[in-house]
Each structure stands twice: as C-alpha cells, then as structure tokens.
Amino acid sequence: MTPSSMVLLLADGRFPAGAHAHSGGLEAAVAAGLVTDPATLAGFLRGRLATGGLVAAAFAVAAHRAAGAADRRATLARLDAELDARTAAPALRAVSRRQGRALLRAGREIWPGGGFDALPTGPSGPHQPLVLGLVAAA
C-alpha cells in the first residue's frame, strides 16, 4: 500500500476507526452558542488544531518514531501516560482511548505485523494518537 493510498484509507468516513464520528466538542460549542456561523466555526476549528490537534499530532509522531526502537514498549507506555496527563477532560480521554481501540482493531487486521503488541494494554486501551503513529509506521 502506498503512503498516499494509506492516507486516503484512514481519512475515509467508512473506515472502521471511529475518528470521523467524533466532533471534538463542536456540538457542545454550537449548543453553548459559541459556534453560530462560518466565521465562528473557522475560529473553533483553528483553536482545536492549535491545541488538541497539535498535541495529538506530536504524540502520533513520537509513537511513529518509537515504533522501531528497542525500548518501544516502555516508550509507548510513557507516551500513553503523558498524553493522559495532557488530556484534562475525562470524557476526551475516554474518547481518545475508544478511538484508539477501534483503530487498533482495524490496524491489526490490515497490517498484522505492525508491531501493535508494543502498545500499552489495559482495560481502556491505548490513546488514538499512539495507535495512529504505529499505523503510519506499519
């Protein structure tokens, strides 16, 4: 699979990983009257990219870099704990882990040798950006 086709696969709304189904707080912002038109929507999206999006991207890159490391299990466990600490809202932590579990299931099916066994295990599963980093490495 080429890198460009993988990006298209991951961005497809029918891909069974769930990220396309979560708004990142947009519904709550609309209900609170914070997003009322295209201009306030653009501001909301810029804010999400500059905060949660930037953090998620940094952790996905770190997980990608850790994929080939000898100490990847320990590194991924540390990254998982650090991302948990940086995600203040319990609901967002739960969503990240739920999306991580969904992406992990799909990733294991598509890339069975993807090194996903190095991800932290636990009742909640790994955070989505960590799984995304390993999917990109696979």
Side-chain angles (χ1 to χ4, degrees), residues 99-121:
Q99 290 176 340
R101 289 190 310 270
L103 182 55
L104 181 58
R105 280 191 302 274
R108 283 184 169 146
E109 283 294 318
I110 298 168
W111 300 281
F116 301 111
D117 292 340
L119 285 163
T121 58

Side-chain angles (χ1 to χ4, degrees), residues 24-55:
L26 179 59
E27 285 97 345
V30 169
L34 300 173
V35 174
T36 58
D37 57 26
T40 55
L41 174 61
F44 174 85
L45 295 175
R46 277 193 298 277
R48 287 290 296 151
L49 284 172
T51 56
L54 186 60
V55 171

